[in-house]
Structure formats: structure tokens, C-alpha cells
Amino acid sequence: MTNFTESKQMKTLENIQKKFVGRILASKNEKLLEAIDKIFDYTQPEDIIALSAEELEMLLMSEKENE
């Protein structure tokens, strides 16, 4: 793979991740969020994508707000 192709794939992946995290944070649909959680539970550890520090912080803040 060329560096251009790899760079394009990384940008696409980052965009998908940001969009996905944003949609999760905005969702109030408990069943949907439980289903997403189950998908991650059944995903192989090497397939799980690590979140950035900023994304983790956003998730933690959202979690605290829901408590």
C-alpha cells in the first residue's frame, strides 16, 4: 500500500470513529446503546479500536452526567 492510500484510510477511519463516538454520546436510546455494548463485548480484543484521550474524556464526562 502506498503512503497516500494508508493516509487516506487513516483519515477515513478517524472520521468514522469521530462520527460514531458523537452519535453514541448523543443517543438516548438505551436498547441501541446496549446493543452496541454487546457488539464490543463480542469483538476480539485485537479488533477493538483505542479511543484518543479526548474521546475517552468525553465519554467519561457523559457517563458522569448520566449518573
Side-chain angles (χ1 to χ4, degrees):
M1 234 183 276
T2 65
N3 286 341
F4 176 76
T5 303
E6 290 174 1
S7 176
K8 186 175 179 182
Q9 286 179 338
M10 288 301 295
K11 287 188 181 216
T12 300
L13 182 59
E14 288 174 10
N15 288 337
I16 292 169
Q17 289 171 330
K18 287 177 185 176
K19 182 178 177 182
F20 189 64
V21 169
R23 291 177 88 176
I24 289 172
L25 291 173
S27 178
K28 302 293 183 208
N29 184 330
E30 186 176 349
K31 288 184 179 185
L32 172 65
L33 295 173
E34 286 174 353
I36 292 168
D37 188 46
K38 286 180 183 179
I39 290 169
F40 282 114
D41 285 345
Y42 292 115
T43 303
Q44 296 297 324
E46 62 271 7
D47 293 337
I48 295 175
I49 299 169
L51 298 175
S52 70
E54 182 181 88
E55 291 166 331
L56 286 172
E57 185 176 339
M58 287 173 40
L59 286 171
L60 290 173
M61 286 189 302
S62 176
E63 193 173 287
K64 286 180 183 177
E65 289 174 5
N66 291 331
E67 289 179 352

